[in-house]
Amino acid sequence: MQTIDITAMPEVLKGKIVAEEDRLDFWPTMFHSHIMEAMAFEGMVFDIAERQSSDYQSGYWEFVILDAEQKIYYIYPNEGKNLTVNGLMNHSTSVMSPELFGLLTTMLCLAWRGDATGDPRYHEAYRKLYAFTQKKLHEVYLPYDDVPESEWPEEVAQAANTLSIIHRFLD
């Protein structure tokens, strides 16, 4: 199986890291959920993260807001190193930044939690996050669609590789 490495998160997906003093309000603001539901979701994220990467060592996770108005967010481990990730859906393997690892793990957990609970808010959050990432990455990549790959600027190559990884890990 081919391994695709992406060791940096494309700038268009970095978003705004939630300040320490605002972290307690993150889940209720983003998801209109009470603390017990937020804890269950976080626990699922941490569990799935451990299953996907033996490099992941738990610890502090950053909360990222991509679009506050639309409530589009993800979380990622503040690992400080790239992670080798084995996809649970199709056994794809990639080396990726902690940010991309967190984005993919957040997406998986939103979809799975929605299936498990029947709560449509999880599926809606997944759809919004997926659509946002696709739109932003395509905005970077599509102007170079007819340009040979060897001539792509670094940010275009990152966007194309990120799209490929998202599709491989979620499909």
Side-chain angles (χ1 to χ4, degrees):
M1 171 134 328
Q2 178 191 14
T3 298
I4 297 177
D5 296 348
I6 183 153
T7 56
M9 183 71 140
E11 286 296 320
V12 295
L13 298 181
K14 287 199 174 176
K16 177 184 180 251
I17 293 177
V18 175
E20 187 70 35
E21 61 271 12
D22 297 329
R23 288 174 66 89
L24 286 177
D25 295 329
F26 177 77
W27 290 120
T29 300
M30 287 294 114
F31 218 69
H32 304 294
S33 64
H34 53 78
I35 194 68
M36 295 306 289
E37 184 60 31
M39 289 173 60
F41 179 73
E42 277 188 332
M44 181 182 199
V45 170
F46 303 154
D47 180 57
I48 297 301
E50 287 178 354
R51 292 183 196 197
Q52 289 191 112
S53 178
S54 60
D55 293 341
Y56 168 68
Q57 299 298 311
S58 73
Y60 189 83
W61 284 62
E62 298 288 359
F63 298 169
V64 179
I65 298 173
L66 292 171
D67 186 316
E69 187 176 309
Q70 293 186 56
K71 298 184 178 175
I72 301 172
Y73 61 88
Y74 67 95
I75 63 176
Y76 72 88
N78 192 345
E79 286 285 308
K81 63 178 180 171
N82 294 319
L83 305 161
T84 300
V85 180
N86 301 303
L88 296 177
M89 302 285 284
N90 57 17
H91 306 290
S92 294
T93 300
S94 292
V95 175
M96 63 184 72
S97 67
E99 295 91 348
L100 183 55
F101 174 63
L103 176 74
L104 289 169
T105 303
T106 301
M107 284 182 174
L108 280 173
C109 290
L110 286 169
W112 290 349
R113 187 84 180 147
D115 290 347
T117 65
D119 187 336
R121 295 177 298 174
Y122 288 104
H123 288 138
E124 179 64 20
Y126 168 81
R127 282 190 292 276
K128 288 192 300 187
L129 180 56
Y130 184 84
F132 183 92
T133 60
Q134 297 300 298
K135 179 179 183 269
K136 291 297 184 181
L137 292 169
H138 278 96
E139 285 173 358
V140 173
Y141 167 72
L142 286 179
Y144 293 87
D145 196 30
D146 294 331
V147 176
E149 212 174 306
S150 61
E151 297 176 22
W152 288 353
E154 180 64 28
E155 66 270 12
V156 174
Q158 280 183 341
N161 284 338
T162 301
L163 280 166
S164 178
I165 287 173
I166 289 171
H167 291 170
R168 285 180 55 196
F169 274 79
L170 298 178
D171 291 342

